[in-house]
Amino acid sequence: DAGVIQSPRHEVTEMGQEVTLRCKPISGHDYLFWYRQTMMRGLELLIYFNNNVPIDDSGMPEDRFSAKMPNASFSTLKIQPSEPRDSAVYFCASSLQTTYGYTFGSGTRLTVV
Amino acid sequence: KQEVTQIPAALSVPEGENLVLNCSFTDSAIYNLQWFRQDPGKGLTSLLLIQSSQREQTSGRLNASLDKSSGRSTLYIAASQPGDSATYLCAVGISGNTPLVFGKGTRLSVIA
């Protein structure tokens, strides 16, 4: 298995633009997590899915953020409109359980100017 | 709300030194605790998993201990090497069906 695949690796966009981050989890993993990492706040859980269904989105900072998982092999995190404070590294992870066995992708470094 | 703290935020040691990284958590009712490693520009890789009923786990030069009653865990790295340079994150599993809560990590530099 190629692991968890995220795209793009880097994204630079202007304030106000729509940004879409993509994730392909490991086949067979029931859980998918989106995390955001910054120096100030560390690694924060944004949302997670179980069998393609969103379970907890309380970590999504604002209505500008939305996430979908249309099937077991694909998920997106969308920010519309983007703001400079959204600049961070966004990680996707998948697992068979919620409490162990996480496999992380390499992340998307988002810069909003 | 469970909070996980790692001190120090950064640490620099000479090669060959034994070192300890610290992790503390506010709620002792945890399901498990894990240590991860993150290399620059990469995702996280799991190093050690300690279940709530266990006191420690070992993997090679790494040893992680857990003291639930005091809300603490330590990661001991023996005979450190430059290749150990990375950020080490501690994560707590709160229950069997809630995601991990992460600390901010300790950035370790091992100087040759």
Side-chain angles (χ1 to χ4, degrees):
Chain A
D1 200 317
V4 175
I5 300 173
Q6 291 187 246
S7 64
R9 288 297 311 276
H10 303 274
E11 177 80 39
V12 180
T13 190
E14 292 185 347
M15 182 173 63
Q17 296 297 307
E18 177 179 298
V19 175
T20 299
L21 312 181
R22 297 172 176 79
C23 175
K24 177 179 169 53
I26 289 178
S27 176
H29 280 189
D30 297 327
Y31 290 89
L32 183 140
F33 309 88
W34 281 101
Y35 283 90
R36 177 172 69 176
Q37 187 177 43
T38 61
M39 288 290 291
M40 287 294 294
R41 302 174 70 92
L43 202 62
E44 303 174 281
L45 178 68
L46 300 176
I47 184 171
Y48 78 101
F49 296 83
N50 178 214
N51 292 323
N52 314 337
V53 176
I55 302 301
D56 185 355
D57 66 354
S58 60
M60 298 284 261
E62 301 171 32
D63 291 344
R64 298 185 296 106
F65 286 69
S66 63
K68 294 181 180 180
M69 192 165 186
N71 57 61
S73 60
F74 184 66
S75 177
T76 60
L77 178 67
K78 184 177 295 185
I79 308 172
Q80 165 64 16
S82 58
E83 297 183 3
R85 58 192 167 125
D86 301 330
S87 297
V89 181
Y90 291 80
F91 285 102
C92 174
S94 70
S95 75
L96 289 169
Q97 303 285 343
T98 55
T99 53
Y100 66 91
Y102 285 34
T103 299
F104 279 79
S106 296
T108 295
R109 180 173 295 278
L110 173 65
T111 303
V112 183
V113 298
Chain B
K1 178 184 174 184
Q2 178 73 268
E3 294 184 1
V4 181
T5 303
Q6 293 186 247
I7 295 173
L11 180 64
S12 183
V13 300
E15 181 178 6
E17 191 163 298
N18 302 325
L19 61 101
V20 174
L21 306 181
N22 296 296
C23 171
S24 61
F25 44 94
T26 53
D27 187 342
S28 63
I30 65 171
Y31 191 78
N32 61 28
L33 185 140
Q34 297 171 63
W35 284 91
F36 289 80
R37 169 181 172 142
Q38 184 178 22
D39 292 292
K42 300 287 181 62
L44 282 69
T45 302
S46 180
L47 296 174
L48 290 165
L49 165 66
I50 311 177
Q51 300 290 357
S52 62
S53 59
Q54 298 175 317
R55 294 300 301 268
E56 66 177 341
Q57 281 287 341
T58 298
S59 176
R61 293 183 294 107
L62 306 181
N63 176 274
S65 68
L66 173 63
D67 184 345
K68 279 200 324 177
S69 61
S70 66
R72 294 179 185 275
S73 175
T74 61
L75 179 65
Y76 174 83
I77 302 177
S80 59
Q81 304 170 357
D84 295 330
S85 298
T87 297
Y88 292 82
L89 293 94
C90 167
V92 170
I94 301 171
S95 71
N97 57 5
T98 54
L100 297 176
V101 178
F102 285 84
K104 292 183 181 179
T106 294
R107 188 172 67 254
L108 173 65
S109 297
V110 181
I111 311 301

